[in-house]
Amino acid sequence: MKKQVKIVVYGAEQLCASCVNLPSSQETFEWLHAAISRKYPNQPFDIIHVDIFNPPNEEELSQFAERVIEEDMFYPVVTLEGNIVGEGNPRLKDIYKELEKYGYSQAE
């Protein structure tokens, strides 16, 4: 593995108006954590959940949270190393593809 990546799930407690039948951002966060851990065991990664209406004081995270609101993005929005890899209903296949660019490889 080349680099331990940072995955951020941006969302809110209240579901996005256009995402009513989709999982919440917290549920997406938990689902992604479990799915990535199973697919790439013993390959560490950082994953955090950011409430877009109450972001942490870290400038990068708070600026992107503001962008999600201003641009009316469908949340949850998932970023991997700062690049958007999913919005509204993120696809595991897309996230896995991006992880593999950083040297993650499937369990044997």
Side-chain angles (χ1 to χ4, degrees):
M1 185 180 72
K2 296 176 186 169
K3 177 183 179 180
Q4 181 172 324
V5 300
K6 180 177 180 181
I7 302 167
V8 184
V9 179
Y10 293 89
E13 280 188 40
Q14 181 180 3
L15 292 177
C16 147
S18 300
C19 307
V20 173
N21 294 321
L22 298 176
S24 71
S25 58
Q26 184 63 39
E27 290 168 328
T28 299
F29 165 78
E30 293 167 0
W31 168 71
L32 278 176
H33 189 276
I36 294 168
S37 295
R38 270 193 312 275
K39 177 97 171 175
Y40 305 108
N42 304 317
Q43 296 174 74
F45 59 94
D46 293 323
I47 184 167
I48 61 171
H49 179 267
V50 173
D51 184 327
I52 60 174
F53 297 112
N54 189 20
N57 288 332
E58 190 176 324
E59 187 175 345
E60 178 186 341
L61 298 176
S62 62
Q63 283 181 347
F64 194 88
E66 193 173 306
R67 180 178 163 203
V68 171
I69 295 167
E70 288 176 359
E71 295 181 15
D72 287 327
M73 293 181 178
F74 295 125
Y75 50 86
V77 176
V78 179
T79 65
L80 196 149
E81 289 300 308
N83 299 312
I84 297 172
V85 291
E87 185 179 343
N89 188 16
R91 295 182 41 183
L92 275 176
K93 186 177 180 180
D94 296 337
I95 295 167
Y96 291 160
K97 185 176 179 181
E98 192 69 18
L99 281 165
E100 288 170 5
K101 290 179 184 177
Y102 289 90
Y104 286 73
S105 59
Q106 190 170 351
E108 305 198 1

